[in-house]
Amino acid sequence: MSERLVVDDLVFDLKRSANRRSLGITVDRGAELIVHAPRPCPVETIEVFVRRKRFWVYSKLSLKGLLFGRPTVREFVTGETFCYLGRSYRLKLIGGSELAAERPLRLFGGFFLLPRGERQRAEAHFRNWYSRQAEAWLPPRVERLARRLGVVPRGVSVRELGHRWGSCGLGGRIYVHWSTLQLPPRIVEYVLSHEILHLAEPRHSVEFWRRLERAMPDLAERRSWLAENGAQYAPWKATYRAASQPTDGR
């Protein structure tokens, strides 16, 4: 029978065995964490061991690439909610050509506004909108975080990165997934800091996590938030059912 052990942002199944003589940690295929211990070992001793191995666990989890969960299905209908920098805004489909043809999606008055005739292209419009916002919002943050980390990147670009929130290139450039702009600012800063530091520390070594924690003392809290909530901000899977008729007369 296993117990649960929580250490900072990490949750372990604690499995004791009468035949075991030492402590050990396993990160299984599904990223479940298991700590193995001799049956009489005190919990306090196990916690000390886990804290000492915490950065090693982070490295194993990062290698598994567990960043995005199952994509959220989006229908792009009036009333559907989309996030920008951690705040929620509802989509409103509007009539006519009230928005500029080259940029049909707009955030205005607390709503995302999109002409009904553009609904079948809504996924692309949202992707382009987030990308444009990121191009303006990200550079000053990257510059500030880079100074804190003591690393000099060659710039930041917005890309479609598959299952990753961000990455760093061989040329010293930082790449960020457009969907990252849905996250709260403090979580975006965690993603940016993670990738900036990789320019100096390519691997998820113990030193990598120590340097990141020195620059970001609440690292564990931010990692935990992203692990628990990141799936709802992942890139979408679009489906276009028949949209309901508007009730505002437009």
Side-chain angles (χ1 to χ4, degrees), residues 87-117:
R87 296 187 63 181
S88 297
Y89 301 91
R90 293 190 180 278
L91 173 63
K92 182 183 289 187
L93 299 178
I94 60 177
S97 55
E98 301 172 42
L99 302 180
E102 67 275 12
R103 293 189 177 183
L105 180 66
R106 180 187 302 173
L107 181 58
F108 181 76
F111 291 90
F112 278 109
L113 304 178
L114 181 72
R116 289 189 193 87

Side-chain angles (χ1 to χ4, degrees), residues 71-84:
T72 302
V73 176
R74 294 292 191 180
E75 297 180 338
F76 303 102
V77 294
T78 291
E80 194 169 13
T81 298
F82 295 82
C83 288
Y84 172 54

Side-chain angles (χ1 to χ4, degrees), residues 39-58:
R39 183 162 292 167
C41 188
V43 171
E44 293 77 12
T45 301
I46 300 171
E47 287 183 355
V48 170
F49 170 78
V50 169
R51 288 185 187 281
R52 195 166 66 243
K53 294 290 186 179
R54 184 163 56 98
F55 293 144
W56 177 87
V57 175
Y58 285 169

Side-chain angles (χ1 to χ4, degrees), residues 5-230:
L5 178 67
V6 180
V7 177
D8 297 330
D9 60 330
L10 301 173
V11 180
F12 295 83
D13 281 331
L14 171 55
K15 295 187 176 180
R16 298 178 181 272
S17 171
N19 298 322
R20 192 169 185 96
R21 296 291 179 265
S22 62
L23 293 165
I25 295 174
T26 300
V27 182
D28 72 9
R29 289 184 179 181
E32 284 80 13
L33 305 177
I34 304 169
V35 57
H36 305 275
R39 183 162 292 167
C41 188
V43 171
E44 293 77 12
T45 301
I46 300 171
E47 287 183 355
V48 170
F49 170 78
V50 169
R51 288 185 187 281
R52 195 166 66 243
K53 294 290 186 179
R54 184 163 56 98
F55 293 144
W56 177 87
V57 175
Y58 285 169
S59 299
K60 292 299 182 182
L61 291 174
S62 295
L63 287 173
K64 291 180 178 295
L66 299 171
L67 304 178
F68 289 152
R70 187 173 299 174
T72 302
V73 176
R74 294 292 191 180
E75 297 180 338
F76 303 102
V77 294
T78 291
E80 194 169 13
T81 298
F82 295 82
C83 288
Y84 172 54
L85 293 176
R87 296 187 63 181
S88 297
Y89 301 91
R90 293 190 180 278
L91 173 63
K92 182 183 289 187
L93 299 178
I94 60 177
S97 55
E98 301 172 42
L99 302 180
E102 67 275 12
R103 293 189 177 183
L105 180 66
R106 180 187 302 173
L107 181 58
F108 181 76
F111 291 90
F112 278 109
L113 304 178
L114 181 72
R116 289 189 193 87
E118 294 295 324
R119 179 171 173 258
Q120 294 298 320
R121 292 176 288 278
E123 184 178 18
H125 290 322
F126 268 97
R127 184 169 60 247
N128 292 337
W129 187 90
Y130 282 113
S131 296
R132 288 195 303 271
Q133 302 307 309
E135 288 168 359
W137 193 88
L138 290 173
R141 273 81 182 175
V142 168
E143 183 177 352
R144 174 171 55 81
L145 294 168
R147 286 197 302 268
R148 184 185 303 173
L149 291 161
V151 181
V152 183
R154 294 186 178 178
V156 58
S157 298
V158 184
R159 291 286 187 272
E160 181 71 51
L161 295 175
H163 70 286
R164 294 173 295 173
W165 292 113
S167 70
C168 62
L170 294 177
R173 198 167 187 84
I174 301 300
Y175 298 95
V176 178
H177 199 295
W178 59 265
S179 65
T180 303
L181 266 286
Q182 300 177 87
L183 299 168
R186 62 191 299 273
I187 306 302
V188 180
E189 290 185 350
Y190 162 67
V191 173
L192 293 175
S193 297
H194 187 118
E195 300 306 333
I196 291 169
L197 188 54
H198 269 316
L199 296 175
E201 300 280 350
R203 298 183 179 181
H204 288 113
S205 63
V206 170
E207 181 59 21
F208 170 88
W209 293 111
R210 283 177 177 163
R211 286 185 63 177
L212 190 56
E213 189 172 50
R214 283 197 297 268
M216 187 173 287
D218 61 346
L219 168 66
E221 181 184 338
R222 299 194 201 203
R223 284 192 77 262
S224 180
W225 191 97
L226 188 59
E228 293 173 6
N229 301 281

